Amino acid sequence: TFGDSDHTKIGEWVLAVGNPFRLTSTVTTGIVSALGRNVNVIDNSLGIESFIQTDAAINPGNSGGALVNLRGELVGIATAIATETGSNEGYGFAVPVDLMEHVVKDLIRYGEVRRGYLGVSIVAMDAGKAKAFGLPDVRGVILGTVQKGLAGDLAGLRRGDVLLTIEGREMTEPNEL
């Protein structure tokens, strides 16, 4: 059963299922350490990363395996690890199931993945910028550029705008936009 990765919480227990090191059907446990993590594994200027980070052991051979919550719902697909040795060092990353579901539907319907393109560059907020904008805390993102004639421009977005929420959800990282 598909879970809802948008409702996955930091600290929630998860299980990683896979076949690392030629072992069949292994299961490891851990917690969700972070959401919306960008780890720069996509080598593309338009690459959008928003991984679920977990300390459940994910090793070579786990890629494509399930990350499930304790209700047995699929919340992610094991994808990558941060390592200096080639083995698990406590940082595993999974593609959220909501993104995976969107990709699968696009592949079935169109034969390719279709993504929206706002035509904006996004700058992360930090304490200094938040103070300069008069914000009480670090939140939101700043629009660095808005390309003329593209979706962001047509929607009325302008360079220097600070976006705090999207569809009622607060943003704290550029990849959340």
Side-chain angles (χ1 to χ4, degrees):
T1 303
F2 286 2
D4 184 349
S5 52
D6 281 345
H7 289 95
T8 299
K9 304 284 185 225
I10 294 173
E12 184 175 347
W13 282 93
V14 289
L15 308 170
V17 182
N19 302 302
F21 306 119
R22 298 188 184 120
L23 299 171
T24 304
S25 300
T26 65
V27 178
T28 59
T29 63
I31 61 166
V32 172
S33 309
L35 299 167
R37 185 67 81 193
N38 184 347
V39 293
N40 298 316
V41 296
I42 300 175
D43 188 22
N44 178 322
S45 65
L46 298 178
I48 299 170
E49 295 185 0
S50 186
F51 292 104
I52 298 170
Q53 180 181 327
T54 181
D55 65 349
I58 295 175
N59 285 292
N62 276 98
S63 294
L67 186 71
V68 299
N69 60 26
L70 294 185
R71 292 178 300 282
E73 299 167 332
L74 181 70
V75 294
I77 303 296
T79 304
I81 59 175
T83 180
E84 293 183 12
T85 65
S87 296
N88 180 277
E89 294 180 23
Y91 303 100
F93 303 96
V95 172
V97 71
D98 296 347
L99 177 58
M100 182 272 315
E101 191 172 19
H102 173 77
V103 167
V104 168
K105 285 179 180 177
D106 274 6
L107 289 172
I108 291 168
R109 177 182 252 165
Y110 307 111
E112 65 183 5
V113 178
R114 293 189 173 179
R115 294 186 184 252
Y117 184 67
L118 291 175
V120 301
S121 66
I122 309 163
V123 178
M125 185 68 71
D126 61 27
K129 292 174 187 148
K131 184 177 180 182
F133 281 106
L135 296 173
D137 53 17
V138 178
R139 60 188 166 120
V141 298
I142 306 163
L143 297 184
T145 59
V146 178
Q147 295 179 19
K148 295 282 184 209
L150 295 180
D153 177 51
L154 297 174
L157 298 177
R158 299 292 172 250
R159 181 178 195 264
D161 284 352
V162 175
L163 305 179
L164 300 174
T165 64
I166 186 161
E167 295 185 341
R169 290 180 51 191
E170 288 189 7
M171 291 180 285
T172 57
E173 296 292 333
N175 63 1
E176 291 175 312
L177 177 59

